[in-house]
Amino acid sequence: MCKPRALLRDTARTLLILAGALAGCWLLQQVTPSQTLVPAIFVLAVDLIALVTDGYIYGIGASLISVLAVNYVFTAPYFVFNFTVPENILSTAIMLAVTIITSTLTTQRKRQEQVRSETARESMRANLLRAISHDLRTPLTTIYGSCSAIIENYDRLPKAQQIKLLGEVREEADWLIRMVENLLSVTRIDGGKVRIVKTPTVLEELIDSVLIKFRKRYPGQAVQVDIPDEFLSIPMDAVLIEQVIINLLENAVQHAAGMTELWLRVFCRDGKAVFEVADNGCGIPRDRLDSLFDGRMDGADGHKNMGIGLSVCATIIRAHGGTITGGNRPGGGAVFRFALALDPDPDTKETAQ
């Protein structure tokens, strides 16, 4: 948000809250002659102003205005500034001190929260960077080794061996392409430069597109699909949600050792479309359940371990205003679910921040 708009917004909020406090005190005065609650109401107003505005200026300015308003409107003699009476001077000084301290503490708390948020964001970026560095090393080494073997032994290698090595190169290059797609999605959303714009997407068309792309990469892996029979249109960025579903399906193929069945289900619950990817494989280790979506890479099997893909999924779903969870199925295997609102929410057009 540009500075002129932020200035106008904060000024309007300050004036609105002060006007509300003034009106509330005036109505209170019509009900009871006691003025003991007036300073407390203005202190509350200043606290609210400090919460909804940026910086110290609005809170401290509201403090000064509140002190003058209490003295002029709600302290005898009314509608006259009177700082000569000792009681007025003392009450004014106390109220000014309380409101300024409240405003300052509130602003400091907001800044501390911003620092914590930035720290968490930087931690996430560091985890992603470590994951990327770890992930890229193995496929690049394989590509380099296979190409070197073909070049150095071109005349001696059987054609079948050359095709096998080239197949490995293609497989690793394909994996690198998907990694770059994931990284572009993360930077697109995390940078806040591109808004998540939802458009109504027909569920059946989305699932068909997902299955076509998934079967090209894993032609031997069957997916059991269960979606509602009725027509269902869901507001979303279809390209990003498609990527999330593919990532979850690929995650099952790569990590669900012993898997014989893979399910993709969609159902409606509480005004949301719930997407579920489940398998009957080995499940998720307990020590990974709390860090599934943080981008951390704990495995020792090169780039064939979960981490960056799930982090991308979480980033995309949260940018849509949805929720995502992962865990183990009671009957064995893993299950991942994410939910998207069925009704358009105008605020989600700029949730990527």
Side-chain angles (χ1 to χ4, degrees):
M1 182 181 292
C2 58
K3 288 185 177 180
R5 289 185 61 189
L7 180 65
L8 181 62
R9 177 203 65 191
D10 289 346
T11 301
R13 289 176 177 176
T14 299
L15 294 176
L16 184 62
I17 293 173
L18 286 176
L22 186 64
C25 291
W26 183 83
L27 290 175
L28 184 64
Q29 193 177 40
Q30 307 308 308
V31 176
T32 173
S34 175
Q35 305 297 324
T36 56
L37 292 178
V38 171
I41 292 175
F42 275 98
V43 169
L44 177 61
V46 171
D47 196 13
L48 289 175
I49 290 170
L51 282 173
V52 300
T53 58
D54 296 328
Y56 292 86
I57 296 177
Y58 294 98
I60 294 177
S63 299
L64 295 173
I65 294 174
S66 298
V67 168
L68 295 176
V70 171
N71 184 273
Y72 185 78
V73 181
F74 301 104
T75 303
Y78 299 113
F79 302 106
V80 174
F81 287 114
N82 186 357
F83 294 100
T84 59
V85 180
E87 291 82 357
N88 290 356
I89 297 175
L90 183 59
S91 61
T92 297
I94 292 175
M95 183 178 174
L96 183 60
V98 169
T99 52
I100 289 178
I101 291 173
T102 300
S103 175
T104 302
L105 291 177
T106 303
T107 303
Q108 288 179 346
R109 185 169 66 248
K110 287 171 58 179
R111 292 192 174 182
Q112 289 172 354
E113 291 174 355
Q114 290 175 353
V115 169
R116 282 195 294 268
S117 176
E118 285 299 321
T119 301
R121 185 184 294 269
E122 290 302 321
S123 177
M124 178 65 178
R125 288 173 178 166
N127 287 335
L128 289 175
L129 181 59
R130 284 193 295 270
I132 295 164
S133 301
H134 186 279
D135 272 11
L136 294 182
R137 187 180 299 113
T138 299
L140 289 175
T141 301
T142 300
I143 292 172
Y144 179 81
S146 298
C147 291
S148 298
I150 294 173
I151 292 173
E152 295 170 4
N153 304 281
Y154 183 79
D155 294 330
R156 297 190 298 273
L157 279 177
K159 185 175 181 180
Q161 186 66 24
Q162 293 183 27
I163 292 176
K164 179 182 178 182
L165 291 173
L166 289 173
E168 292 177 355
V169 171
R170 183 175 64 179
E171 180 183 346
E172 298 297 341
D174 184 58
W175 185 91
L176 285 173
I177 290 173
R178 297 200 301 275
M179 168 64 80
V180 171
E181 290 174 352
N182 284 341
L183 294 176
L184 288 175
S185 295
V186 170
T187 55
R188 169 188 172 187
I189 296 172
D190 189 55
K193 296 180 180 179
V194 179
R195 295 180 177 181
I196 295 294
V197 179
K198 296 182 180 182
T199 55
T201 302
V202 178
L203 175 62
E204 188 173 356
E205 295 178 357
L206 173 73
I207 299 301
D208 286 343
S209 178
V210 166
L211 293 177
I212 289 172
K213 293 180 180 179
F214 178 75
R215 285 166 181 161
K216 285 182 179 179
R217 299 175 183 176
Y218 302 96
Q221 178 61 58
V223 180
Q224 299 184 39
V225 179
D226 181 12
I227 63 175
D229 293 330
E230 66 270 16
F231 177 84
L232 190 60
S233 179
I234 309 170
M236 66 173 73
D237 184 319
V239 174
L240 292 178
I241 297 301
E242 183 178 295
Q243 184 178 352
V244 168
I245 301 174
I246 292 175
N247 278 359
L248 294 177
L249 291 171
E250 288 184 345
N251 184 72
V253 173
Q254 294 173 5
H255 310 301
M259 179 182 69
T260 58
E261 293 183 291
L262 178 60
W263 297 278
L264 171 57
R265 301 188 181 99
V266 183
F267 54 91
C268 298
R269 177 189 294 167
D270 300 329
K272 297 180 180 180
V274 181
F275 293 74
E276 178 181 284
V277 174
D279 63 74
N280 65 343
C282 60
I284 304 169
R286 289 185 178 180
D287 60 347
R288 288 301 316 277
L289 290 174
D290 295 332
S291 58
L292 284 173
F293 303 106
D294 65 1
R296 200 177 74 194
M297 311 296 285
D298 293 340
D301 55 345
H303 67 283
K304 300 299 185 184
N305 56 76
M306 70 182 71
I308 182 68
L310 294 182
S311 175
V312 170
C313 293
T315 302
I316 291 173
I317 297 304
R318 289 165 185 162
H320 276 75
T323 58
I324 184 168
T325 60
N328 290 317
R329 298 173 62 240
V335 57
F336 290 87
R337 297 186 185 93
F338 67 88
L340 301 175
L342 289 172
D343 295 328
D345 183 355
D347 293 336
T348 57
K349 289 187 177 182
E350 47 183 1
T351 53
Q353 296 178 352

Coordinates of all heavy atoms in Angstrom, one line a residue, residues 100-166:
I100 N -0.3 8.2 26.6 CA 1.0 8.1 25.9 C 1.7 6.8 26.2 O 2.2 6.1 25.2 CB 1.9 9.3 26.2 CG1 1.3 10.6 25.6 CG2 3.3 9.1 25.7 CD1 2.1 11.9 26.0
I101 N 1.7 6.4 27.4 CA 2.3 5.1 27.7 C 1.6 3.9 27.0 O 2.2 3.0 26.5 CB 2.4 4.9 29.3 CG1 3.3 5.9 29.9 CG2 2.8 3.4 29.6 CD1 3.3 5.9 31.4
T102 N 0.3 4.0 27.1 CA -0.5 2.9 26.4 C -0.2 2.9 24.9 O 0.0 1.8 24.3 CB -2.0 3.2 26.6 OG1 -2.3 3.2 28.0 CG2 -2.8 2.1 25.9
S103 N -0.2 4.1 24.3 CA 0.1 4.2 22.9 C 1.5 3.6 22.5 O 1.7 2.9 21.6 CB -0.1 5.6 22.4 OG 0.3 5.7 21.0
T104 N 2.5 4.0 23.3 CA 3.8 3.6 23.1 C 4.0 2.1 23.3 O 4.6 1.5 22.4 CB 4.8 4.4 24.1 OG1 4.6 5.8 23.9 CG2 6.2 4.0 23.8
L105 N 3.4 1.6 24.3 CA 3.5 0.1 24.6 C 2.8 -0.7 23.5 O 3.3 -1.7 23.0 CB 2.9 -0.2 25.9 CG 3.7 0.3 27.2 CD1 3.0 -0.1 28.4 CD2 5.1 -0.3 27.2
T106 N 1.7 -0.2 23.0 CA 0.9 -0.9 22.0 C 1.7 -0.9 20.7 O 1.8 -1.9 20.0 CB -0.4 -0.2 21.8 OG1 -1.2 -0.2 23.0 CG2 -1.2 -1.0 20.7
T107 N 2.3 0.3 20.3 CA 3.1 0.4 19.1 C 4.3 -0.5 19.2 O 4.7 -1.2 18.2 CB 3.5 1.8 18.9 OG1 2.4 2.7 18.8 CG2 4.3 2.0 17.6
Q108 N 5.0 -0.5 20.4 CA 6.2 -1.4 20.5 C 5.8 -2.9 20.4 O 6.5 -3.7 19.8 CB 6.8 -1.2 21.9 CG 7.5 0.2 22.0 CD 8.1 0.4 23.4 OE1 7.8 -0.3 24.3 NE2 9.0 1.4 23.5
R109 N 4.6 -3.2 20.9 CA 4.1 -4.6 20.8 C 3.9 -5.0 19.4 O 4.2 -6.1 18.9 CB 2.9 -4.8 21.7 CG 2.4 -6.3 21.7 CD 1.3 -6.5 22.7 NE 0.1 -5.8 22.4 CZ -0.4 -4.7 23.0 NH1 0.3 -4.3 24.1 NH2 -1.5 -4.1 22.7
K110 N 3.3 -4.1 18.6 CA 3.1 -4.3 17.2 C 4.4 -4.5 16.5 O 4.5 -5.4 15.6 CB 2.3 -3.2 16.6 CG 0.8 -3.1 17.0 CD 0.2 -1.9 16.5 CE 0.2 -1.7 15.0 NZ -0.4 -0.4 14.6
R111 N 5.4 -3.7 16.8 CA 6.7 -3.8 16.1 C 7.4 -5.1 16.5 O 8.0 -5.8 15.7 CB 7.5 -2.6 16.5 CG 7.0 -1.3 15.8 CD 8.0 -0.2 15.9 NE 7.6 1.0 15.2 CZ 8.3 2.1 15.1 NH1 9.5 2.2 15.6 NH2 7.8 3.1 14.4
Q112 N 7.2 -5.5 17.8 CA 7.8 -6.8 18.2 C 7.1 -8.0 17.4 O 7.8 -8.9 17.0 CB 7.6 -7.0 19.7 CG 8.5 -6.1 20.5 CD 8.2 -6.2 22.0 OE1 7.3 -6.8 22.4 NE2 9.0 -5.5 22.8
E113 N 5.8 -7.9 17.2 CA 5.1 -8.9 16.4 C 5.6 -8.9 15.0 O 5.8 -10.0 14.4 CB 3.6 -8.7 16.5 CG 3.0 -8.9 17.9 CD 1.6 -8.5 18.0 OE1 1.1 -8.0 17.0 OE2 1.0 -8.8 19.0
Q114 N 5.9 -7.7 14.4 CA 6.4 -7.7 13.1 C 7.8 -8.3 13.0 O 8.1 -9.0 12.0 CB 6.4 -6.2 12.6 CG 5.0 -5.6 12.4 CD 5.1 -4.2 12.0 OE1 6.1 -3.5 12.0 NE2 3.9 -3.6 11.7
V115 N 8.6 -8.0 14.0 CA 9.9 -8.6 14.0 C 9.9 -10.1 14.1 O 10.6 -10.8 13.4 CB 10.7 -8.0 15.2 CG1 12.1 -8.8 15.4 CG2 11.0 -6.6 15.0
R116 N 9.0 -10.6 15.0 CA 8.8 -12.1 15.1 C 8.3 -12.7 13.8 O 8.8 -13.8 13.4 CB 7.8 -12.4 16.2 CG 8.4 -12.3 17.6 CD 7.6 -13.0 18.6 NE 6.3 -12.3 18.8 CZ 6.1 -11.4 19.7 NH1 7.0 -11.0 20.5 NH2 4.9 -10.8 19.8
S117 N 7.4 -12.0 13.1 CA 6.9 -12.5 11.8 C 8.0 -12.5 10.8 O 8.1 -13.5 10.0 CB 5.7 -11.6 11.4 OG 5.3 -12.0 10.1
E118 N 8.8 -11.4 10.8 CA 9.9 -11.4 9.8 C 11.0 -12.5 10.1 O 11.5 -13.1 9.2 CB 10.6 -10.0 9.8 CG 9.8 -8.9 9.1 CD 9.5 -9.2 7.7 OE1 10.5 -9.7 7.0 OE2 8.4 -9.0 7.2
T119 N 11.2 -12.7 11.4 CA 12.1 -13.7 11.8 C 11.6 -15.1 11.3 O 12.4 -15.9 10.8 CB 12.3 -13.8 13.3 OG1 12.8 -12.5 13.8 CG2 13.3 -14.8 13.8
A120 N 10.3 -15.4 11.5 CA 9.8 -16.6 11.1 C 9.9 -16.8 9.6 O 10.2 -17.8 9.0 CB 8.3 -16.8 11.5
R121 N 9.6 -15.6 8.9 CA 9.8 -15.7 7.4 C 11.2 -15.9 7.0 O 11.4 -16.7 6.0 CB 9.3 -14.3 6.8 CG 9.2 -14.3 5.3 CD 8.8 -12.9 4.9 NE 7.5 -12.6 5.3 CZ 6.4 -12.8 4.5 NH1 6.6 -13.4 3.3 NH2 5.2 -12.5 4.9
E122 N 12.1 -15.3 7.6 CA 13.5 -15.5 7.3 C 14.0 -17.0 7.6 O 14.7 -17.6 6.8 CB 14.4 -14.5 8.0 CG 14.3 -13.1 7.6 CD 14.6 -12.9 6.1 OE1 15.6 -13.6 5.6 OE2 14.0 -12.2 5.4
S123 N 13.4 -17.5 8.7 CA 13.7 -18.9 9.0 C 13.2 -19.8 7.9 O 13.9 -20.8 7.5 CB 13.1 -19.2 10.4 OG 13.3 -20.6 10.7
M124 N 12.0 -19.5 7.5 CA 11.4 -20.3 6.4 C 12.2 -20.2 5.1 O 12.5 -21.2 4.5 CB 10.0 -19.8 6.1 CG 9.3 -20.5 5.0 SD 9.0 -22.2 5.3 CE 8.1 -22.7 3.8
R125 N 12.7 -19.0 4.8 CA 13.5 -18.9 3.6 C 14.8 -19.6 3.7 O 15.3 -20.2 2.8 CB 13.8 -17.4 3.4 CG 12.6 -16.6 2.9 CD 12.8 -15.1 2.8 NE 11.6 -14.4 2.3 CZ 11.5 -13.1 2.4 NH1 12.4 -12.4 3.0 NH2 10.4 -12.5 1.9
A126 N 15.4 -19.6 5.0 CA 16.7 -20.3 5.2 C 16.5 -21.8 5.0 O 17.3 -22.5 4.4 CB 17.2 -20.0 6.6
N127 N 15.3 -22.3 5.6 CA 15.0 -23.7 5.4 C 14.9 -24.1 4.0 O 15.4 -25.1 3.5 CB 13.8 -24.1 6.2 CG 14.0 -24.1 7.7 OD1 15.1 -24.3 8.2 ND2 12.9 -23.9 8.4
L128 N 14.2 -23.2 3.2 CA 14.0 -23.5 1.8 C 15.3 -23.5 1.0 O 15.6 -24.3 0.2 CB 13.0 -22.5 1.2 CG 11.6 -22.6 1.6 CD1 10.8 -21.4 1.0 CD2 11.0 -23.9 1.1
L129 N 16.2 -22.5 1.4 CA 17.5 -22.4 0.8 C 18.3 -23.7 1.0 O 19.0 -24.2 0.1 CB 18.3 -21.2 1.2 CG 19.6 -21.0 0.6 CD1 19.5 -20.8 -0.9 CD2 20.3 -19.7 1.2
R130 N 18.3 -24.2 2.3 CA 19.0 -25.4 2.6 C 18.4 -26.6 1.8 O 19.2 -27.4 1.3 CB 19.0 -25.7 4.1 CG 19.9 -24.8 4.9 CD 20.0 -25.3 6.3 NE 18.8 -25.2 7.1 CZ 18.4 -24.1 7.8 NH1 19.2 -23.1 7.8 NH2 17.3 -24.1 8.4
A131 N 17.1 -26.6 1.7 CA 16.4 -27.7 1.0 C 16.8 -27.7 -0.5 O 17.1 -28.7 -1.1 CB 14.9 -27.6 1.2
I132 N 16.8 -26.5 -1.0 CA 17.1 -26.4 -2.4 C 18.6 -26.8 -2.7 O 18.9 -27.6 -3.6 CB 17.0 -24.9 -2.9 CG1 15.5 -24.5 -2.8 CG2 17.5 -24.7 -4.3 CD1 15.2 -23.0 -2.9
S133 N 19.5 -26.3 -1.9 CA 20.9 -26.7 -2.1 C 21.1 -28.2 -2.0 O 21.9 -28.8 -2.7 CB 21.8 -26.0 -1.0 OG 21.6 -24.6 -1.1
H134 N 20.4 -28.8 -1.0 CA 20.5 -30.2 -0.8 C 19.9 -31.0 -2.0 O 20.4 -32.0 -2.5 CB 19.8 -30.6 0.5 CG 20.0 -32.0 0.9 ND1 19.2 -33.0 0.3 CD2 20.8 -32.7 1.8 CE1 19.5 -34.2 0.9 NE2 20.5 -34.0 1.7
D135 N 18.8 -30.5 -2.4 CA 18.0 -31.2 -3.5 C 18.7 -31.1 -4.9 O 18.7 -32.1 -5.6 CB 16.6 -30.6 -3.6 CG 15.6 -31.3 -2.7 OD1 16.1 -32.0 -1.8 OD2 14.4 -31.1 -2.8
L136 N 19.3 -30.0 -5.2 CA 19.9 -29.8 -6.5 C 21.1 -30.6 -6.7 O 21.5 -30.9 -7.8 CB 20.1 -28.3 -6.8 CG 18.9 -27.4 -6.8 CD1 19.3 -25.9 -7.1 CD2 17.9 -27.9 -7.9
R137 N 21.9 -30.9 -5.6 CA 23.1 -31.5 -5.8 C 23.0 -32.9 -6.4 O 23.8 -33.2 -7.3 CB 23.8 -31.6 -4.4 CG 25.2 -32.1 -4.4 CD 25.8 -32.2 -3.1 NE 25.9 -30.9 -2.4 CZ 25.2 -30.6 -1.3 NH1 24.4 -31.5 -0.8 NH2 25.3 -29.4 -0.8
T138 N 22.1 -33.7 -5.9 CA 22.0 -35.1 -6.4 C 21.6 -35.2 -7.9 O 22.3 -35.9 -8.7 CB 21.0 -35.9 -5.6 OG1 21.5 -35.9 -4.2 CG2 20.9 -37.3 -6.1
P139 N 20.6 -34.5 -8.4 CA 20.2 -34.6 -9.8 C 21.3 -34.1 -10.7 O 21.6 -34.6 -11.8 CB 18.9 -33.9 -9.9 CG 18.9 -33.0 -8.7 CD 19.5 -33.7 -7.7
L140 N 21.9 -33.0 -10.3 CA 23.0 -32.4 -11.1 C 24.2 -33.3 -11.2 O 24.8 -33.5 -12.2 CB 23.4 -31.0 -10.5 CG 22.4 -29.9 -10.7 CD1 22.9 -28.6 -10.0 CD2 22.1 -29.6 -12.2
T141 N 24.5 -34.0 -10.1 CA 25.6 -35.0 -10.1 C 25.3 -36.1 -11.0 O 26.2 -36.6 -11.8 CB 25.9 -35.5 -8.7 OG1 26.2 -34.4 -7.8 CG2 27.0 -36.5 -8.7
T142 N 24.1 -36.6 -11.0 CA 23.7 -37.7 -11.8 C 23.7 -37.3 -13.3 O 24.2 -38.1 -14.2 CB 22.2 -38.2 -11.5 OG1 22.2 -38.6 -10.1 CG2 21.8 -39.3 -12.4
I143 N 23.2 -36.1 -13.6 CA 23.3 -35.6 -15.0 C 24.7 -35.5 -15.5 O 25.0 -35.9 -16.6 CB 22.5 -34.3 -15.1 CG1 21.0 -34.5 -14.9 CG2 22.8 -33.6 -16.5 CD1 20.2 -33.2 -14.8
Y144 N 25.5 -34.9 -14.7 CA 26.9 -34.7 -15.0 C 27.6 -36.1 -15.2 O 28.4 -36.3 -16.2 CB 27.7 -33.9 -14.0 CG 29.1 -33.7 -14.2 CD1 29.5 -32.7 -15.1 CD2 30.1 -34.5 -13.7 CE1 30.9 -32.5 -15.4 CE2 31.4 -34.3 -13.9 CZ 31.8 -33.3 -14.8 OH 33.2 -33.1 -15.1
G145 N 27.4 -37.0 -14.3 CA 28.1 -38.3 -14.4 C 27.6 -39.1 -15.6 O 28.4 -39.7 -16.3
S146 N 26.3 -39.1 -15.9 CA 25.8 -39.8 -17.1 C 26.3 -39.2 -18.4 O 26.7 -40.0 -19.3 CB 24.3 -39.8 -17.0 OG 23.8 -40.5 -15.9
C147 N 26.3 -37.9 -18.5 CA 26.8 -37.3 -19.7 C 28.3 -37.5 -19.9 O 28.7 -37.8 -21.0 CB 26.5 -35.8 -19.7 SG 24.7 -35.3 -19.8
S148 N 29.0 -37.4 -18.8 CA 30.5 -37.7 -18.9 C 30.7 -39.1 -19.3 O 31.6 -39.4 -20.2 CB 31.1 -37.4 -17.5 OG 31.0 -36.1 -17.2
A149 N 30.0 -40.1 -18.8 CA 30.2 -41.5 -19.2 C 29.9 -41.7 -20.6 O 30.6 -42.4 -21.3 CB 29.2 -42.4 -18.3
I150 N 28.8 -41.1 -21.2 CA 28.5 -41.2 -22.6 C 29.6 -40.6 -23.5 O 30.0 -41.2 -24.5 CB 27.1 -40.6 -22.9 CG1 26.0 -41.4 -22.2 CG2 26.9 -40.6 -24.4 CD1 24.7 -40.8 -22.3
I151 N 30.0 -39.4 -23.1 CA 31.0 -38.7 -23.9 C 32.4 -39.4 -23.9 O 33.0 -39.6 -25.0 CB 31.2 -37.2 -23.4 CG1 29.9 -36.4 -23.7 CG2 32.4 -36.6 -24.1 CD1 30.0 -35.1 -23.0
E152 N 32.8 -39.9 -22.7 CA 34.1 -40.5 -22.6 C 34.1 -41.9 -23.1 O 35.2 -42.4 -23.5 CB 34.6 -40.5 -21.2 CG 34.8 -39.1 -20.6 CD 35.0 -39.0 -19.1 OE1 35.0 -40.1 -18.5 OE2 35.1 -37.9 -18.5
N153 N 33.0 -42.6 -23.2 CA 32.9 -44.0 -23.6 C 31.9 -44.2 -24.7 O 31.3 -45.3 -24.8 CB 32.6 -44.9 -22.4 CG 33.5 -44.7 -21.2 OD1 34.6 -45.2 -21.2 ND2 33.0 -43.9 -20.3
Y154 N 31.8 -43.2 -25.6 CA 30.8 -43.3 -26.6 C 30.9 -44.5 -27.6 O 30.0 -45.2 -27.9 CB 30.8 -42.0 -27.5 CG 29.7 -41.9 -28.5 CD1 28.4 -41.6 -28.2 CD2 30.0 -42.2 -29.8 CE1 27.4 -41.6 -29.1 CE2 29.0 -42.1 -30.8 CZ 27.7 -41.8 -30.4 OH 26.7 -41.8 -31.4
D155 N 32.2 -44.7 -28.0 CA 32.4 -45.8 -28.9 C 32.4 -47.2 -28.3 O 32.2 -48.2 -29.0 CB 33.8 -45.6 -29.6 CG 33.8 -44.4 -30.5 OD1 32.8 -44.0 -31.0 OD2 34.9 -43.8 -30.6
R156 N 32.6 -47.3 -26.9 CA 32.6 -48.5 -26.3 C 31.3 -48.9 -25.6 O 31.1 -50.1 -25.3 CB 33.7 -48.5 -25.2 CG 35.1 -48.3 -25.8 CD 36.2 -48.6 -24.8 NE 36.1 -47.6 -23.6 CZ 36.7 -46.5 -23.7 NH1 37.4 -46.1 -24.7 NH2 36.6 -45.6 -22.6
L157 N 30.5 -47.9 -25.3 CA 29.2 -48.2 -24.6 C 28.2 -48.8 -25.5 O 28.0 -48.3 -26.7 CB 28.6 -47.0 -24.0 CG 29.2 -46.5 -22.6 CD1 28.6 -45.2 -22.2 CD2 29.0 -47.6 -21.6
P158 N 27.5 -49.9 -25.1 CA 26.4 -50.5 -26.0 C 25.3 -49.4 -26.1 O 25.1 -48.6 -25.2 CB 26.0 -51.7 -25.2 CG 27.1 -52.0 -24.3 CD 27.8 -50.7 -24.0
K159 N 24.6 -49.5 -27.2 CA 23.5 -48.6 -27.4 C 22.5 -48.6 -26.2 O 21.9 -47.6 -25.8 CB 22.8 -48.9 -28.7 CG 21.7 -47.9 -29.0 CD 21.1 -48.1 -30.4 CE 20.1 -47.1 -30.8 NZ 19.5 -47.3 -32.1
A160 N 22.2 -49.8 -25.7 CA 21.2 -50.0 -24.6 C 21.7 -49.3 -23.4 O 20.9 -48.6 -22.7 CB 21.0 -51.5 -24.3
Q161 N 23.0 -49.3 -23.1 CA 23.6 -48.6 -22.0 C 23.5 -47.1 -22.1 O 23.2 -46.4 -21.2 CB 25.0 -49.0 -21.7 CG 25.6 -48.5 -20.5 CD 25.0 -49.0 -19.2 OE1 24.4 -50.1 -19.2 NE2 25.1 -48.3 -18.1
Q162 N 23.7 -46.6 -23.4 CA 23.6 -45.2 -23.6 C 22.2 -44.7 -23.4 O 22.0 -43.7 -22.8 CB 24.1 -44.9 -25.1 CG 25.6 -45.2 -25.3 CD 26.0 -44.8 -26.7 OE1 25.4 -43.9 -27.4 NE2 27.0 -45.4 -27.2
I163 N 21.2 -45.5 -23.9 CA 19.8 -45.1 -23.8 C 19.4 -45.1 -22.3 O 18.7 -44.2 -21.8 CB 18.9 -46.1 -24.5 CG1 19.1 -46.0 -26.0 CG2 17.4 -45.9 -24.2 CD1 18.4 -47.0 -26.9
K164 N 20.0 -46.1 -21.5 CA 19.7 -46.1 -20.1 C 20.2 -44.8 -19.4 O 19.5 -44.2 -18.6 CB 20.3 -47.3 -19.5 CG 20.1 -47.4 -17.9 CD 20.7 -48.7 -17.4 CE 20.5 -48.7 -15.8 NZ 21.2 -49.9 -15.2
L165 N 21.5 -44.5 -19.7 CA 22.1 -43.3 -19.1 C 21.3 -42.0 -19.5 O 21.1 -41.1 -18.7 CB 23.5 -43.2 -19.5 CG 24.5 -44.2 -18.9 CD1 25.9 -44.1 -19.5 CD2 24.5 -44.1 -17.4
L166 N 20.9 -41.9 -20.8 CA 20.2 -40.8 -21.3 C 18.8 -40.7 -20.6 O 18.3 -39.6 -20.3 CB 20.0 -40.8 -22.8 CG 21.3 -40.6 -23.6 CD1 21.1 -40.8 -25.1 CD2 21.8 -39.1 -23.4

